[in-house]
């Protein structure tokens, strides 16, 4: 039997690796699309294909057969595609820091709102957190010289709602790894169709393909596998709270690697969103599954 100290260290290292992986989905996407090395539809298709390959191999290894990859409903693939495509197109218009914050806030608020709509009665602290986070997201859209592109923000909000829906249906999965593998695999035809319709392959470059494949295979596919391992050593509340670090890592990385600036609007909005979500997730017990901090499977940014 392993001692608690090495187990805690393993959990901490795996969690840190996961948060970096999820944050770098935004960095890699913006890096590829911001420099025009690949079109948005092509990035989506390559990302989902690479993720499907890695997750399928992992699921096959865990189950000992390809049976878990057989299609089981359309909700998973459709919601995953509804997240991945707007996510890519949004990063044609907004920076990685802004996009990560908008996605993160939308995902968490949608999941909490789902519980409220289905009869949950959150504590006053939870309501305060929801209102604060919503004000933070709203502040991003206020008219000003430095306001992010409205269409880019709208696309990221759509991506966030879709990812929340994907996560909520995934919470019922008995084998999360296989469920993610199926979703990636069976969402791929839609992504390939979108890429064909937009006639994007002519704009693909080697660098763009590498960035898209890395996003799918490493920061998505392997990122999910590492996250599921890390969850074995985390309580539900801690798993939710540590994810507050994803948009922070994405924002700092965007400044260091992409040359983006952190203006007062983004910093203040980010503080309100992250602080509000933290309030909602750390409210007292006796509330709904989302308010209780149940982890979002594979939270992206």
């Amino acid at each position: 039997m392993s001692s608690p100290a090495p187990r805690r260290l393993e959990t901490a290292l795996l969690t840190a690796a996961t948060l970096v992986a999820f944050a770098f989905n935004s960095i890699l996407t913006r890096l590829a699309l911001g420099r025009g090395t690949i079109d948005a539809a092509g990035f989506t298709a390559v990302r989902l294909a690479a993720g499907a390959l890695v997750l399928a191999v992992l699921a096959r290894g865990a189950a000992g057969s390809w049976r878990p990859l057989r299609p089981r409903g359309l909700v998973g693939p459709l919601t995953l595609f509804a997240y991945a495509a707007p996510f890519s197109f949004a990063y044609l218009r907004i920076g990685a820091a802004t996009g990560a914050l908008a996605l993160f806030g939308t995902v968490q608020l949608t999941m909490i709102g789902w519980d409220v709509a289905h009869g949950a009665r959150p504590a006053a602290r939870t309501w305060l957190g929801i209102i604060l986070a919503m004000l933070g997201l709203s502040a991003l859209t206020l008219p000003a010289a430095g306001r992010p592109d409205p269409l880019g923000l709208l696309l990221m909000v759509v991506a966030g709602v879709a990812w929340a829906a994907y996560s909520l249906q995934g919470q019922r999965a008995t084998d999360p790894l296989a469920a993610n593998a199926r979703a990636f695999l069976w969402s791929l035809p839609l992504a390939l169709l979108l890429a064909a319709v937009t006639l994007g392959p002519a704009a693909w470059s080697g660098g763009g393909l590498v960035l898209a494949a890395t996003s799918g295979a490493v920061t998505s596919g392997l990122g999910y596998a590492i996250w599921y391992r890390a969850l074995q050593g985390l309580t539900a509340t801690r798993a939710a709270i540590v994810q507050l670090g994803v948009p922070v890592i994405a924002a700092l990385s965007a400044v260091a690697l992409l040359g983006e600036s952190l203006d007062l609007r983004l910093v203040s909005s980010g503080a309100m969103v992250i602080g509000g979500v933290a309030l909602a997730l750390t409210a007292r017990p006796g509330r709904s599954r989302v308010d209780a901090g149940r982890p979002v499977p594979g939270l992206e940014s």
Side-chain angles (χ1 to χ4, degrees):
M1 182 177 179
S2 61
S3 60
R7 184 70 183 95
R8 286 197 295 268
L9 177 60
E10 177 188 3
T11 298
L13 292 175
L14 290 173
T15 301
T18 302
L19 299 184
V20 171
F22 292 158
F24 263 71
N25 271 319
S26 286
I27 301 300
L28 292 172
T29 307
R30 179 59 181 170
L31 187 60
L33 298 176
R35 296 181 178 178
T37 59
I38 191 171
D39 67 290
F43 187 95
T44 302
V46 175
R47 179 188 179 192
L48 290 179
L53 177 61
V54 169
L55 289 169
V57 170
L58 292 173
R60 167 65 173 80
S65 74
W66 296 107
R67 186 172 300 175
L69 299 179
R70 294 176 179 174
R72 300 183 187 179
L74 297 176
V75 176
L78 288 176
T79 53
L80 178 61
F81 175 75
Y83 146 76
F87 179 87
S88 297
F89 280 92
Y91 276 128
L92 290 172
R93 311 179 70 94
I94 59 176
T98 300
L101 176 62
L103 181 74
F104 171 82
T106 302
V107 169
Q108 296 289 356
L109 288 175
T110 301
M111 295 187 73
I112 293 172
W114 174 268
D115 262 16
V116 173
H118 285 76
R121 294 295 178 267
R125 179 172 175 173
T126 301
W127 281 115
L128 177 61
I130 293 172
I131 293 171
L132 183 60
M134 291 181 67
L135 288 174
L137 286 177
S138 299
L140 280 176
T141 67
L142 293 176
R147 179 177 61 175
D149 180 84
L151 180 57
L153 279 178
L154 177 60
L155 286 169
M156 195 58 79
V157 168
V158 171
V161 172
W163 185 258
Y166 177 70
S167 299
L168 286 167
Q169 68 87 31
Q171 287 180 342
R172 300 189 296 270
T174 56
D175 186 348
L177 183 60
N180 271 297
R182 286 194 299 271
F184 267 75
L185 180 62
W186 297 108
S187 66
L188 186 54
L190 291 173
L192 292 173
L193 177 62
L194 178 63
V197 169
T198 58
L199 301 176
W204 297 7
S205 69
L209 290 172
V210 169
L211 290 170
T214 302
S215 176
V218 180
T219 57
S220 292
L222 290 179
Y224 297 164
I226 295 171
W227 179 235
Y228 297 138
R229 174 66 176 171
L231 287 176
Q232 297 177 14
L234 294 171
T235 64
T237 299
R238 286 183 178 179
I241 292 174
V242 296
Q243 292 178 75
L244 298 173
V246 172
V248 177
I249 295 171
L252 295 177
S253 299
V255 173
L257 301 176
L258 303 179
E260 295 184 10
S261 60
L262 292 181
D263 57 21
L264 180 60
R265 171 195 291 268
L266 183 59
V267 172
S268 58
S269 297
M272 293 171 69
V273 172
I274 294 173
V277 171
L279 278 176
L281 292 177
T282 56
R284 289 184 177 276
R287 53 220 186 273
S288 66
R289 64 177 182 273
V290 173
D291 292 328
R294 185 171 180 175
V296 180
L299 178 64
E300 300 259 4
S301 75

